């Protein structure tokens, strides 16, 4: 490894340990920032120390959960990957995680804009690409730009990297078409085959409208989440690939999770997934397809997923002042819509008829995206008639209140309090039972830090 590089590693680790001991942070990015400043090639050098190679997971929505699911499958097989489990997914987060672990293979989630750089440095054995949704346009630009960059990643990995791709996302599925030789060597597709879960109509938050090959509008037979569904291009024939790993029957059970029949060739399993929503079904399919690529059979991989715990902020429930607070991250139209669909299931299953108690925290910091106009593309109209009380919090709390008013939530049911701590306490105090907390990303970090300081939850990086 070299004495000089070893000394730089030691210094970076010491900085992380000091950050954790001081209570100023979890040390999830500081060591990597320091290490990359001292050794810009640190990621590639650390990658060569992993004899089992590396797996990269990237997506707009669900990469943290999918990576945790793959980690669970690996752990069930007796393997312990080096993993950026805290979710720090830019270069400095990856450079922090790689020296900290003791495994012989890497598992890293990577921010979609940083995928090309990290993939070029790690040269992974497998890349899992789950979806591309419109998210933070002020940072990432249009979807087609990211898709073009990802296409270059796929081309660069030809012959050395395998890919697990979402057949239901036309932007993702198209990346594997040039690799579809023989038995689609190196490419595994996953998708949903149960038509009962299709939306009654295409959502307003519908992103991939035109074929990347010829520009013609896609024809959709059905859509499940945003633009994820069954589609074809009537002009050039670039239609949805048949998935190798598929959910053939899905029963959504609200916040409790879902029951899913998963098939892969001749194999079939019944999966009891403890995480709610179709978006987590997609996460599970991505993880199962990746596990099979990593030589873990379908059945034991599915068993590992059944014991999954929620990733922080992704449907974890924490008791506050004697009441359960269920936290569901929202950050873009497609993800928010799936959370709203889950809440609608909860409202319809409720026997008291009192309606939902909500805390919605909308921030506009850099990690959230400065442009919060996306809330007008999310279908908050689903909440109309189902809300008992909602407290709007965060830096853009008034805008969130206006959005809910125009969605049909009674103004008498809406309260505005920007401060995270006071708004949460007020929402909990007046909740009739379970409180559903819907924060954007930085609001989630504030919320989890608050709960950790009160001794109600572990720090989010633990």
């Amino acid at each position: 490894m070299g004495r000089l590089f070893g000394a730089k590693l030691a210094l970076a680790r010491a900085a992380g340990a000091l950050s954790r001991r001081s209570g100023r942070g979890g040390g999830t990015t500081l060591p990597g920032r320091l290490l990359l400043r001292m050794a810009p090639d640190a990621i590639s050098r650390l990658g060569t120390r992993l004899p089992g190679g590396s797996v990269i997971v990237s997506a707009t929505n669900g990469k943290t959960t999918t990576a945790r699911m793959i980690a669970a499958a690996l752990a069930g097989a007796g393997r312990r990957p080096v993993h950026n489990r805290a979710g720090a997914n830019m270069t400095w987060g990856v450079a922090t995680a790689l020296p900290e672990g003791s495994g012989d293979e890497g598992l890293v989630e990577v921010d979609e804009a940083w995928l090309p750089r990290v993939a070029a440095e790690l040269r992974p054995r497998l890349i899992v690409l789950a979806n591309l949704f419109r998210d933070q346009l002020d940072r990432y630009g249009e979807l087609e730009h990211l898709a073009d960059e990802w296409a270059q990643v796929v081309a660069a990995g030809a012959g050395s990297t395998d890919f697990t791709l979402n057949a239901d996302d036309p932007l993702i599925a198209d990346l594997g078409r040039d690799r579809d030789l023989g038995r689609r060597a190196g490419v595994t597709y996953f998708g949903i085959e149960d038509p009962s879960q299709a939306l009654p109509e295409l959502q307003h938050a519908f992103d991939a409208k035109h074929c990347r090959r010829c520009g013609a509008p896609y024809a959709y037979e059905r859509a499940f989440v945003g633009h994820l569904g069954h589609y074809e291009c009537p002009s050039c024939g670039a239609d949805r690939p048949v998935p190798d790993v598929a959910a053939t029957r899905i029963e959504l059970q609200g916040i409790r999770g879902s029951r899913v029949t998963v098939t892969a060739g001749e194999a079939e399993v019944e999966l009891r997934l403890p995480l709610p929503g179709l978006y987590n079904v997609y996460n599970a399919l991505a993880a199962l397809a990746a596990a099979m690529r990593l030589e873990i059979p379908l059945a034991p991989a599915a068993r590992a997923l059944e014991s999954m715990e929620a990733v922080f902020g992704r449907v974890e429930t924490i008791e506050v002042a004697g009441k359960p607070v269920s936290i569901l991250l929202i950050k873009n139209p497609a993800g928010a819509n799936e959370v709203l669909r889950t809440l609608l299931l909860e409202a319809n299953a409720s026997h008291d008829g009192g309606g939902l108690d909500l805390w919605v925290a909308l921030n506009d910091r850099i990690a959230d995206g400065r442009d919060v106009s996306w809330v007008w593309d999310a279908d908050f109209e689903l909440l109309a008639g189902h809300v008992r009380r909602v407290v709007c919090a965060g830096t853009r709390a008034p805008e969130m209140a206006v959005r809910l008013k125009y969605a049909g939530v009674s103004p008498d049911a809406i309260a505005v309090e920007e401060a995270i701590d006071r708004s949460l306490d007020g929402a909990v105090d007046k909740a009739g039972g379970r409180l559903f907390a819907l924060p954007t990303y930085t609001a989630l970090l504030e919320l989890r830090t608050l709960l950790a300081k009160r001794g109600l939850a572990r720090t989010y990086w633990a």
Side-chain angles (χ1 to χ4, degrees), residues 285-326:
L285 291 174
L288 293 173
M292 295 180 69
R293 273 284 173 192
L294 297 172
E295 301 177 347
I296 303 173
L298 179 63
R303 286 197 299 271
L305 268 56
E306 291 184 337
S307 60
M308 276 285 300
E309 294 183 0
V311 179
F312 85 91
R314 280 76 168 179
V315 209
E316 62 175 343
T317 297
I318 298 170
E319 189 167 294
V320 181
K323 296 176 183 177
V325 176
S326 295

Side-chain angles (χ1 to χ4, degrees), residues 374-400:
W374 65 266
V375 300
W376 293 91
D377 291 329
D379 296 331
F380 286 99
E381 283 73 12
L382 292 172
L383 296 176
H386 298 290
V387 174
R388 193 180 77 87
R389 185 171 187 271
V390 55
V391 177
C392 297
T395 59
R396 303 294 286 272
E399 284 93 334
M400 191 68 244

Side-chain angles (χ1 to χ4, degrees), residues 299-360:
R303 286 197 299 271
L305 268 56
E306 291 184 337
S307 60
M308 276 285 300
E309 294 183 0
V311 179
F312 85 91
R314 280 76 168 179
V315 209
E316 62 175 343
T317 297
I318 298 170
E319 189 167 294
V320 181
K323 296 176 183 177
V325 176
S326 295
I327 307 171
L328 301 95
L329 172 68
I330 58 172
K331 63 173 188 168
N332 55 34
N337 281 349
E338 287 308 296
V339 168
L340 294 171
R341 288 173 72 182
T342 298
L343 293 181
L344 186 60
L345 286 174
E346 289 295 308
N348 290 333
S350 175
H351 299 296
D352 58 18
L356 300 169
D357 289 298
L358 305 175
W359 178 84
V360 185

